[in-house]
Amino acid sequence: MSNPAIHLTLVLLLPLAGGILTYLSGQSMVRRTALVGMVPGLIAAGMLLFMSNDSSITIRFDWLPGHSLGWQVDHVSAVLIALVYFISFLVHLFSLHYLQHDPSIHRYFAKLGFFTTSMLGLLAADHLLLVFVFWELVGFSSYLLIGFWFSQEDKAKSAREAFMVNRVADAGLLIGVILMVMVLDQPFLSELSAVSSSPLVHLAGIGLLIGALGKSAQFPFFGWLPKAMAGPTPVSALIHAATMVAAGVYLLFRVVPVLSPLVMGLAAILGAVTALMAAIAALTQHDIKKVLAYSTISQLGYMVLGVGVGAYQASLFHLWTHAFFKAGLFMAAGAVIHYFHELRHDDHEFDGQDMRNMGGLRKVLPVTHLVYLLCGLALSGLPFFSGFLSKEGILSGAWIWASQTGLWAYVVTDMAFITAFLTPLYVGRQILLVFYGEPRTVVERLQGMEPLWKVKLPLLLLAIASVWVFSAINPFNPTGWWLNAYLFSNDIFRAPEGFDYIEKLTFGLSVVLSAGGLLVSYWYFRPSRSQAYSNAGVPQTWYGRLSYRGWFMAEVYAALAKVYDALVMLSAWFDRKVIDKAVNAVGVASVVLSKAAAIFDREIIDGLVNLMAWLANLVGRLFTGIQSGKVQHQLVWMMVVLLAILLWFQF
Amino acid sequence: MTAIPLTYYLVVAAFLLCAGLLIVLTKKNAIMVLIGIELMLNAANLNLVAFSRNDPQLNGQVFAIFSVVLAAAEVAIALAILLNIYRKYNSSDLDDLNTLEH
Amino acid sequence: MTMAINKLFFFFFAAMTVLPVIYILFTGNIVRSAFALVVSLLGVAALYVLLQAEVMAVVQLLIYAGGIIVLLLFGIMLTRRLSEEGVFAGHRGVVIGALMALMLFGMLVRLILGSGLEFETAAPVTDQVAHVGIAFLTDHIVAFELVAYLLLVALVGAAFLAKKSDKA
């Protein structure tokens, strides 16, 4: 492998090639063709890690004269590429089990390959325009995947909504990218340098931030993520847990050098607000996937908050850990849903995703239960799990930042800590309702529910990755991530002198909060009360409804759409009345002009011609006088001529 | 008797010619025009006779005699035509004979 | 002395020729014009005599003064309604005609006076009538016969033309 460009191309394109091959060979061959692209690609990604170990792989090529684009694979990109490959590979495996009865499964794998390639391209791109291109591709492929079952109207609508909300946010991204490339002249991510705080820099930062908010489902753009649960669960595992939604955080991480303090503060506030709002919404959901969706939004809020307060290394760490445990949670939920589909496949009224129909599943799905437990505890932020370490960094970072920024900043910190309490609350609720207590639906052990290679392996791998060992040696040290040195060259966000008490305080507080949250949830949803849950309806209190309806974001979008419609009507009216009138006026003017020209032609041109005729007539009449018929006249003319001749001969 | 030079006679003849021409061109009545024509003929005869003085053959005179005879014939016919015209158009004004007018 | 008388005779007869013509030019009276023409022609005859052209003079008197004038007078009488129009006739287009005539006269006079033509001093022919008669019947016999023929035709033609039409 001498040429890094060829290697990079292979790494990027193998998933897509594999996907196309799968699609072309048809549904019957899926079992054999689905992993054709992924396995070599995984190996190639591993080699890429080694290749980029000593020095980053930078490839530049000319695009337009004077403009060049480029790729770069440095440590961060290589690690993330490997992460995406790994999780995508596991999702491929799980999908073979989950969608085994689906007639369009070959189309699914083609889309999955396309998505993987787009995400990898985004990670490897260096020039902001390339990032934008792959950003859009990722959005488009996620639309394809969410709308996989597009024959059902509501699923197609959800896919459209996801794509559209993303596109609206991408307008901001585009502004940011254009400003960066054209005005601030910083097109390459690897060459970003700090800039002075001018209004343009603020604008560019805000534009990029808006793009990240849309992709990572932050306030006010998070309405699409719960709706996106209409896609197959493995898709949610890949896209909405580990990869696509992390793209926004990745972008923010990359452009930190050019983010002004104003933009950073904005990111912190929005991240914290989103985390809190989503955690509140997750508390009352009945759909198993919606809980996880809101949880993702909340955790992404943490990541954005981390970038905003300056602890971007912790954000990246959290992205890493979140990818594993959230994917694990989603896939385990997928196993549960698949179980119910198999159990009650003849009953179309039965909602296999509604937690009110579940309960006591740990007896029939033991591996799934174990995985859910491990990943869920990691999500809660309990020590000895990976999630604790990464969340720690963000929480202490927020506290330190607030202490340096001002009293108002403590609101942000407080929101982060409250969310840290709510997270284990909804996690515990979910685990208890699904796996513990008496089954609210009759369950029985089914055959082939947890096959080894396709289900057990991915799930267990992810669960193990959620345990602390694979992230850091010391379960209690948030800065001990063994990738720290590799990724950041040990440049960690540390408390300045005199502020290390904050780190200790954060440690204590977060332990208390996560343990406390789990205990409260156990008390509230203890197994003996599980039977009552089957009759739980939609919450009626105002705060309950606010939480259940996801803060009514969908309704907000609909209202905005109505405003837009009104604008469209207004401009159409304007066009009709004003512009058409102008066009008509031009038409009338041209008719008037043509009539004037006709008059000119008639009077003047014809007049000239008539004048000629009249002149000829005049001359003719003059000369006809000669032919008067009177003899004497003619004699006179004869004499005239005769005399003329004589005179001429005389002289 | 060569006291009177030739040119005197010629001048008289020229005068008669031009006067006859004037009469022909300007007079309204056809008879007056005939008078004018006679004058012109006479002028020509005078010329002829004046020059025949030098001629021992008297060719000029002979010619002049013929001219007179022809003049007589011409007047007769002209008057006959005039009579017819007068009967038809009831006028002897030459300007009334304008059916050839354009 | 002879010369002076010759000159006197010449100018007198020249005047007798020219003045009536001038009268014709200025008058409108047709009958009087006809008579003035007679006088003028008599003057011309006299000039012929002065030119020692006796035959011509007599022929002139006979035919012109005797025949043609009579014809003219007959013509006048037959073509005028004397009760209505009288014997007056006007003229028109005098200016242009006078111009033409004057120009022609001027040119002719210039030519004549500048030509330097002279009478030759030869003896006049004595027996002119015989000479002319012989000339008619020898040198100019064809013309003589033709003229006779023409006279016949003219006579017959004029008589036919002047005849009153039967349809009147």
Side-chain angles (χ1 to χ4, degrees):
Chain A
M1 285 294 165
S2 53
N3 191 347
I6 297 179
H7 193 82
L8 183 62
T9 313
L10 273 177
V11 165
L12 291 183
L13 287 181
L14 272 171
L16 180 63
I20 293 177
L21 180 67
T22 312
Y23 180 69
L24 290 175
S25 37
Q27 189 233 349
S28 49
M29 299 271 289
V30 156
R31 229 176 284 269
R32 266 165 273 192
T33 55
L35 297 173
V36 161
M38 291 308 292
V39 172
L42 203 55
I43 300 171
M47 292 173 70
L48 196 68
L49 269 173
F50 285 107
M51 284 174 70
S52 63
N53 193 17
D54 295 322
S55 63
S56 321
I57 303 171
T58 311
I59 303 166
R60 292 280 159 89
F61 58 93
D62 273 329
W63 176 48
L64 294 177
H67 294 273
S68 55
L69 300 176
W71 310 91
Q72 192 189 58
V73 180
D74 60 352
H75 290 176
V76 174
S77 295
V79 164
L80 288 177
I81 286 176
L83 173 71
V84 169
Y85 250 112
F86 180 66
I87 302 215
S88 179
F89 177 69
L90 294 179
V91 167
H92 273 78
L93 278 177
F94 187 75
S95 307
L96 280 172
H97 168 80
Y98 190 81
L99 291 170
Q100 60 189 264
H101 300 308
D102 195 304
S104 310
I105 188 174
H106 54 299
R107 180 162 53 91
Y108 172 84
F109 275 104
K111 294 183 182 181
L112 209 60
F114 177 41
F115 171 82
T116 311
T117 297
S118 314
M119 189 66 210
L120 294 171
L122 193 148
L123 290 172
D126 199 14
H127 194 276
L128 272 172
L129 275 180
L130 265 185
V131 168
F132 183 75
V133 166
F134 282 104
W135 189 279
E136 295 298 327
L137 279 176
V138 163
F140 177 60
S141 52
S142 93
Y143 157 78
L144 288 176
L145 281 166
I146 295 170
F148 178 62
W149 290 310
F150 55 79
S151 48
Q152 296 172 41
E153 181 77 37
D154 54 330
K155 294 204 201 300
K157 248 173 64 162
S158 305
R160 266 207 306 277
E161 186 177 318
F163 190 57
M164 286 302 152
V165 174
N166 253 269
R167 285 298 277 167
V168 170
D170 288 348
L173 178 66
L174 189 58
I175 292 174
V177 164
I178 289 174
L179 279 172
M180 289 284 285
V181 171
M182 304 300 293
V183 177
L184 298 172
D185 200 24
Q186 304 221 32
F188 287 104
L189 287 175
S190 51
E191 293 170 4
L192 293 179
S193 56
V195 288
S196 55
S197 287
S198 65
L200 277 176
V201 170
H202 288 316
L203 204 58
I206 289 175
L208 293 168
L209 181 64
I210 290 177
L213 292 181
K215 191 67 88 187
S216 299
Q218 300 296 291
F219 177 84
F221 298 105
F222 64 71
W224 64 273
L225 192 51
K227 287 269 181 72
M229 295 298 115
T233 313
V235 165
S236 304
L238 180 61
I239 297 180
H240 309 124
T243 50
M244 187 181 96
V245 292
V249 178
Y250 169 74
L251 179 71
L252 281 176
F253 172 77
R254 283 294 196 197
V255 299
V256 156
V258 292
L259 294 179
S260 58
L262 168 75
V263 178
M264 303 262 278
L266 205 59
I269 294 170
L270 286 174
V273 163
T274 310
L276 189 59
M277 284 171 73
I280 292 175
L283 281 173
T284 60
Q285 298 300 320
H286 292 311
D287 189 318
I288 188 173
K289 282 174 72 173
K290 283 222 167 62
V291 175
L292 294 175
Y294 281 111
S295 167
T296 307
I297 298 172
S298 178
Q299 296 303 305
L300 288 168
Y302 265 121
M303 292 182 226
V304 172
L305 166 67
V307 172
V309 301
Y312 47 87
Q313 303 92 341
S315 287
L316 207 66
F317 187 19
H318 197 58
L319 193 150
W320 169 268
T321 58
H322 175 267
F324 288 110
F325 60 68
K326 198 43 80 59
L329 280 174
F330 264 109
M331 290 223 266
V336 169
I337 296 169
H338 185 70
Y339 168 79
F340 272 106
H341 277 156
E342 292 298 309
L343 188 67
R344 302 282 285 262
H345 62 263
D346 46 343
D347 184 351
H348 292 285
E349 294 289 313
F350 183 75
D351 186 359
Q353 292 178 223
D354 196 330
M355 292 198 290
R356 292 173 284 190
N357 294 332
M358 303 178 190
L361 286 179
R362 70 187 153 108
K363 299 193 184 78
V364 290
L365 295 171
V367 174
T368 310
H369 164 245
L370 177 66
V371 167
Y372 218 98
L373 204 58
L374 290 174
C375 296
L377 289 176
L379 174 56
S380 313
L382 217 55
F384 289 100
F385 289 95
S386 60
F388 166 75
L389 297 164
S390 50
K391 210 189 292 192
E392 264 291 291
I394 294 177
L395 286 174
S396 62
W399 196 330
I400 295 169
W401 170 79
S403 65
Q404 290 172 323
T405 312
L407 216 52
W408 65 270
Y410 276 101
V411 177
V412 170
T413 320
D414 292 344
M415 283 200 279
F417 276 99
I418 293 174
T419 312
F421 172 70
L422 292 177
T423 306
L425 203 57
Y426 65 70
V427 170
R429 169 179 179 263
Q430 186 169 43
I431 297 178
L432 288 166
L433 286 175
V434 172
F435 291 101
Y436 289 87
E438 290 304 313
R440 289 182 282 282
T441 321
V442 176
V443 293
E444 60 192 36
R445 251 203 134 86
L446 291 180
Q447 281 296 80
M449 270 300 106
E450 296 176 332
L452 177 61
W453 289 108
K454 293 202 211 95
V455 174
K456 284 209 186 85
L457 184 64
L459 287 177
L460 284 173
L461 277 176
L462 291 170
I464 293 171
S466 307
V467 177
W468 90 93
V469 176
F470 292 91
S471 294
I473 302 297
N474 183 346
F476 299 110
N477 183 4
T479 58
W481 191 22
W482 52 271
L483 279 180
N484 263 346
Y486 189 69
L487 291 177
F488 310 122
S489 320
N490 264 329
D491 168 35
I492 309 295
F493 182 79
R494 286 220 180 248
E497 291 301 316
F499 283 95
D500 5 304
Y501 71 91
I502 290 182
E503 286 180 4
K504 297 190 178 52
L505 271 179
T506 313
F507 172 72
L509 199 52
S510 60
V511 169
V512 165
L513 286 174
S514 43
L518 283 171
L519 285 170
V520 170
S521 71
Y522 185 80
W523 177 76
Y524 208 77
F525 294 101
R526 53 183 178 274
S528 51
R529 292 178 67 171
S530 65
Q531 207 49 16
Y533 182 62
S534 64
N535 300 326
V538 173
Q540 297 300 312
T541 56
W542 67 269
Y543 45 85
R545 271 218 307 273
L546 207 59
S547 148
Y548 185 70
R549 297 294 297 270
W551 301 82
F552 295 106
M553 283 312 283
E555 282 72 12
V556 168
Y557 293 161
L560 281 175
K562 282 216 166 54
V563 169
Y564 181 71
D565 271 347
L567 271 176
V568 167
M569 283 301 178
L570 184 68
S571 76
W573 172 87
F574 180 75
D575 176 60
R576 238 195 346 272
K577 289 275 180 251
V578 175
I579 301 195
D580 284 0
K581 286 259 159 55
V583 170
N584 284 349
V586 169
V588 166
S590 74
V591 168
V592 166
L593 200 65
S594 70
K595 283 208 156 47
I599 290 174
F600 177 79
D601 175 57
R602 237 195 346 268
E603 301 302 323
I604 296 177
I605 310 283
D606 290 359
L608 271 173
V609 173
N610 287 346
L611 182 68
M612 293 294 125
W614 178 81
L615 271 175
N617 205 356
L618 183 71
V619 169
R621 263 186 282 129
L622 273 176
F623 280 100
T624 56
I626 301 176
Q627 299 252 328
S628 66
K630 298 184 181 133
V631 175
Q632 281 159 324
H633 286 176
Q634 292 182 327
L635 280 172
V636 168
W637 281 110
M638 272 168 56
M639 284 314 300
V640 167
V641 174
L642 180 67
L643 275 172
I645 294 175
L646 283 174
L647 276 171
W648 192 48
F649 276 121
Q650 272 286 300
F651 301 109
Chain B
M1 302 213 199
T2 57
I4 308 154
L6 174 61
T7 52
Y8 283 30
Y9 291 100
L10 295 182
V11 167
V12 172
F15 176 81
L16 280 180
L17 182 75
C18 297
L21 180 68
L22 187 57
I23 292 169
V24 165
L25 290 181
T26 58
K27 294 295 180 185
K28 277 207 285 195
N29 197 312
I31 308 287
M32 295 291 279
V33 171
L34 270 176
I35 289 170
I37 291 173
E38 290 311 314
L39 277 173
M40 287 203 279
L41 279 167
N42 270 295
N45 286 342
L46 190 54
N47 251 337
L48 278 167
V49 171
F51 276 108
S52 87
R53 180 97 166 27
N54 294 334
D55 186 8
Q57 305 288 60
L58 296 177
N59 280 323
Q61 267 192 68
V62 172
F63 199 96
I65 292 171
F66 279 127
S67 165
V68 171
V69 170
L70 285 170
E74 169 248 328
V75 167
I77 296 181
L79 278 169
I81 293 173
L82 263 172
L83 272 174
N84 271 326
I85 286 172
Y86 181 74
R87 281 183 205 143
K88 187 170 171 60
Y89 291 98
N90 253 337
S91 150
S92 51
D93 189 339
L94 277 179
D95 276 346
D96 291 342
L97 308 175
N98 58 0
T99 55
L100 274 180
E101 188 183 16
H102 171 65
Chain C
M1 187 74 118
T2 329
M3 301 209 199
I5 296 178
N6 281 343
K7 272 212 169 108
L8 185 68
F9 274 129
F10 171 75
F11 278 116
F12 174 73
F13 287 120
M16 193 171 142
T17 307
V18 167
L19 290 174
V21 172
I22 292 174
Y23 175 78
I24 295 174
L25 280 172
F26 283 105
T27 188
N29 193 331
I30 303 180
V31 179
R32 289 200 184 168
S33 306
F35 282 111
L37 185 64
V38 174
V39 173
S40 178
L41 292 178
L42 284 175
V44 172
L47 284 178
Y48 286 158
V49 171
L50 280 174
L51 279 171
Q52 290 153 1
E54 299 99 10
V55 180
M56 191 60 210
V58 172
V59 167
Q60 169 95 351
L61 278 171
L62 276 176
I63 297 180
Y64 262 114
I68 292 176
I69 299 300
V70 172
L71 269 178
L72 277 175
L73 285 168
F74 269 114
I76 290 169
M77 293 308 152
L78 283 172
T79 61
R80 292 203 75 83
R81 295 193 194 88
L82 289 175
S83 54
E84 298 162 22
E85 297 153 355
V87 296
F88 284 98
H91 41 254
R92 69 176 120 244
V94 178
V95 176
I96 190 89
L99 192 66
M100 292 295 119
L102 274 170
M103 279 177 71
L104 187 62
F105 185 62
M107 274 203 321
L108 283 172
V109 166
R110 209 162 144 257
L111 271 174
I112 292 164
L113 291 178
S115 66
L117 289 167
E118 298 263 332
F119 278 132
E120 293 164 20
T121 55
V125 178
T126 48
D127 198 358
Q128 286 199 358
V129 177
H131 199 88
V132 167
I134 291 168
F136 272 147
L137 291 169
T138 52
D139 290 328
H140 308 288
I141 182 73
V142 177
F144 182 71
E145 296 296 336
L146 279 177
V147 165
Y149 185 64
L150 183 125
L151 272 175
L152 175 66
V153 169
L155 197 69
V156 173
F160 177 75
L161 276 176
K163 156 171 91 117
K164 260 210 165 76
S165 67
D166 294 334
K167 293 181 195 145

